[in-house]
Amino acid sequence: AVGAVGTAQGLGAIIGSTASIFLYPLPAFALGSITVPEHAIPFLCCGVTLAISAVLALTVIHEKKSC
């Protein structure tokens, strides 16, 4: 389990840094009354991905039922 976590963390660091190259030059946009500046888009994407991961972990991972 520890190896899988380390692998996922390493892949996330590699993919995240690569994706931020393409996210950083995007123009600012508005989310309702909040304007998201250009430099905050990679952090917003990171937060959204983390929230999705948390929801998936809470709904998909189950404890084994005893027979």
Side-chain angles (χ1 to χ4, degrees), residues 5-26:
V5 172
T7 302
Q9 184 177 8
L11 286 173
I14 293 168
I15 294 169
S17 61
T18 305
S20 67
I21 294 169
F22 301 105
L23 293 173
Y24 191 79
L26 294 176

Side-chain angles (χ1 to χ4, degrees), residues 34-57:
I34 300 171
T35 301
V36 179
E38 302 89 359
H39 62 275
I41 294 173
F43 299 102
L44 175 68
C45 291
C46 179
V48 168
T49 306
L50 184 60
I52 291 170
S53 299
V55 169
L56 284 173

